[in-house]
Amino acid sequence: MATVSFDKATRIYPGGEKPAVDALDIEIADGEFLVLVGPSGCGKSTSLRMLAGLEDVNSGAIRIGDRDVTHLPPKDRDIAMVFQNYALYPHMTVADNMGFALKIAGVPKAEIRQKVEDAAKILDLTEYLGRKPKALSGGQRQRVAMGRAIVREPQVFLMDEPLSNLDAKLRVSTRTQIASLQRRLGITTVYVTHDQVEAMTMGDRVAVLKDGLLQQVDSPRNMYDRPANLFVAGFIGSPAMNLVEVPITDGGVKFGNSVVPVNRDALKAAADKGDRTVTVGVRPEHFDIVEQNGGGAAALSKDAPAGLAVSVNVVEELGADGYVYGTAEVGGEKKDLVVRVNGRQVPEKGAQLHVVPRPGETHVFSTSTGERLSD
Ligand SMILES: Nc1ncnc2c1ncn2[C@@H]1O[C@H](COP(=O)(O)OP(=O)(O)OP(=O)(O)O)[C@@H](O)[C@H]1O
Ligand SMILES: [Mg+2]
């Protein structure tokens, strides 16, 4: 077992103008499950391949334990990698697939068999050891690929989208299996996915990348509760956080017909930058509905109700919860919003809601730089 450090590790591909991974700095603890997540092309696979030794590091360093592995060949790094297309050898049995790396390394036959049987037991593959891959389900093949990595007893597991060939249901059950297996084996793991739900449910910590730059590395809880900038705020969470640009007023921000108090220091920080607006983030579950009118002819009260008027376009009923997808007018512009509502009291399509963000549950970001201003 071992720690892993990326120390300002940078990769510039030949002919590339800007780095695919730019001064990546992460310290991964011994036994930790770290997930790298971000949109396509943000540099996740490149980061993992640098750690594996499959990609040159142009500046900075990579360490496994106290070894500087920056310029070591892959075979000397004591890692095992599971890829998206796990490429099992079709003509070999499951047992031979799992033991192949050990055979190449000259490990005695009896020892290979023992290790393969142990791994098969952990992965629930014992009864399939004599089969060829084509006679297995997608999930079973995926477990064979895991088995191939486990028998090598590496210091570090690297996984690059290992679940993306599985259907949605199998992906959910397999992600739980991988996470619990990793915890049981206690092997430091770096796992790449573009799926933020996978990242949040599997990782001890999650690292969000964008355009080769690390945006935030944090526990799933902190990432959700305190996103460091607008990008992370919009990327983590489903449905996504509502992000609304609003004018700064005395003591808060103007949110429709209400002034919502927000952190004073945040507003001062924005004003100091010369900004007259901030971008307020509100998760769908953090709106309070202050008034709800039915669709069609329902009368509106004479006084303009508090909060922001949202016209309901679509209602998604999920049983316990419902999500309202609506439109509001903010600062003269139409803005799409998502509001979570009680699944037993969903408004009708065409109805109008008035919503206010729950005090203390707002996130404030600088409109100009995107950085988080509230604490
Ligand atoms: N061999 C290569 N030569 C040149 N550029 C490359 C090479 N491999 C990747 N890139 C570029 O580097 C950037 C990062 O690619 P990378 O494969 O790390 O992204 P990723 O986050 O894994 O994306 P995805 O989710 O699509 O797998 C992209 O802009 C990509 O086009
Ligand atoms: Mg990739």
Side-chain angles (χ1 to χ4, degrees):
M1 288 203 284
T3 57
V4 170
S5 346
F6 287 91
D7 182 0
K8 301 196 169 53
T10 299
R11 174 63 179 149
I12 305 173
Y13 283 108
E17 278 161 28
K18 65 183 191 55
V21 175
D22 195 350
L24 181 64
D25 235 357
I26 308 180
E27 296 276 339
I28 304 166
D30 186 21
E32 182 171 8
F33 195 123
L34 182 100
V35 181
L36 287 176
V37 70
S40 183
C42 69
K44 305 178 294 292
S45 296
T46 304
S47 304
L48 203 67
R49 291 170 59 82
M50 285 197 287
L51 174 53
L54 300 171
E55 212 62 77
D56 284 343
V57 177
N58 298 102
S59 66
I62 292 182
R63 278 183 288 277
I64 297 177
D66 46 20
R67 292 183 303 150
D68 184 335
V69 301
T70 317
H71 302 293
L72 280 188
K75 65 175 176 48
D76 298 334
R77 296 193 180 198
D78 203 1
I79 50 158
M81 197 151 170
V82 182
F83 293 96
Q84 168 178 352
N85 70 5
Y86 20 83
L88 302 176
Y89 299 109
H91 58 285
M92 289 186 198
T93 62
V94 166
D96 289 345
N97 264 288
M98 283 168 62
F100 189 65
L102 300 180
K103 188 171 160 196
I104 295 294
V107 175
K109 263 193 178 149
E111 194 179 329
I112 297 179
R113 177 146 37 144
Q114 189 60 51
K115 288 191 166 153
V116 167
E117 282 173 7
D118 290 347
K121 211 173 285 166
I122 294 174
L123 292 162
D124 225 357
L125 286 171
T126 307
E127 59 184 302
Y128 307 109
L129 281 175
R131 285 202 200 170
K132 301 273 173 66
K134 69 171 188 301
L136 299 177
S137 71
Q140 290 160 346
R141 282 181 214 165
Q142 204 285 333
R143 297 213 297 276
V144 176
M146 289 289 296
R148 237 176 4 184
I150 291 175
V151 295
R152 296 175 50 196
E153 298 170 16
Q155 283 197 307
V156 185
F157 278 139
L158 308 185
M159 304 188 198
D160 194 346
E161 311 237 10
L163 306 184
S164 50
N165 284 348
L166 306 181
D167 67 43
K169 199 169 166 201
L170 197 53
R171 213 154 52 212
V172 171
S173 58
T174 310
R175 88 180 175 216
T176 322
Q177 285 168 4
I178 291 183
S180 71
L181 179 66
Q182 190 275 342
R183 252 131 240 170
R184 193 141 44 101
L185 299 175
I187 295 178
T188 312
T189 300
V190 185
Y191 184 103
V192 163
T193 178
H194 63 272
D195 180 342
Q196 60 91 19
V197 177
E198 213 168 280
M200 296 289 277
T201 51
M202 294 180 82
D204 293 319
R205 280 190 308 158
V206 177
V208 177
L209 283 173
K210 180 191 173 230
D211 298 336
L213 291 165
L214 181 64
Q215 306 290 304
Q216 183 171 4
V217 50
D218 230 325
S219 67
R221 168 71 70 91
N222 283 345
M223 193 72 82
Y224 191 82
D225 288 348
R226 297 195 69 255
N229 59 38
L230 280 174
F231 177 77
V232 177
F235 187 75
I236 297 290
S238 176
M241 183 188 284
N242 298 286
L243 295 166
V244 189
E245 186 180 342
V246 291
I248 300 172
T249 60
D250 268 352
V253 295
K254 199 152 164 40
F255 210 89
N257 296 324
S258 302
V259 171
V260 175
V262 299
N263 181 290
R264 262 171 204 287
D265 295 338
L267 295 183
K268 184 169 179 318
D272 287 349
K273 283 190 220 293
D275 290 349
R276 293 163 68 180
T277 66
V278 287
T279 299
V280 169
V282 186
R283 296 226 177 258
E285 67 271 30
H286 289 151
F287 277 118
D288 283 326
I289 296 170
V290 289
E291 186 154 319
Q292 182 166 328
N293 297 308
L300 281 164
S301 61
K302 282 211 189 66
D303 302 325
L308 193 62
V310 181
S311 316
V312 177
N313 302 327
V314 175
V315 181
E316 231 176 53
E317 288 193 54
L318 301 175
D321 296 323
Y323 286 101
V324 168
Y325 293 80
T327 317
E329 207 173 289
V330 188
E333 279 177 50
K334 290 228 182 299
K335 174 85 195 154
D336 290 333
L337 292 180
V338 187
V339 179
R340 189 179 77 179
V341 295
N342 183 331
R344 304 283 165 212
Q345 287 174 308
V346 297
E348 283 171 51
K349 201 172 147 181
Q352 206 176 59
L353 303 178
H354 280 83
V355 299
V356 285
R358 199 162 306 152
E361 300 282 10
T362 54
H363 305 252
V364 185
F365 302 95
S366 161
T367 305
S368 51
T369 66
E371 71 181 301
R372 183 183 188 86
L373 299 174
S374 52
D375 51 28

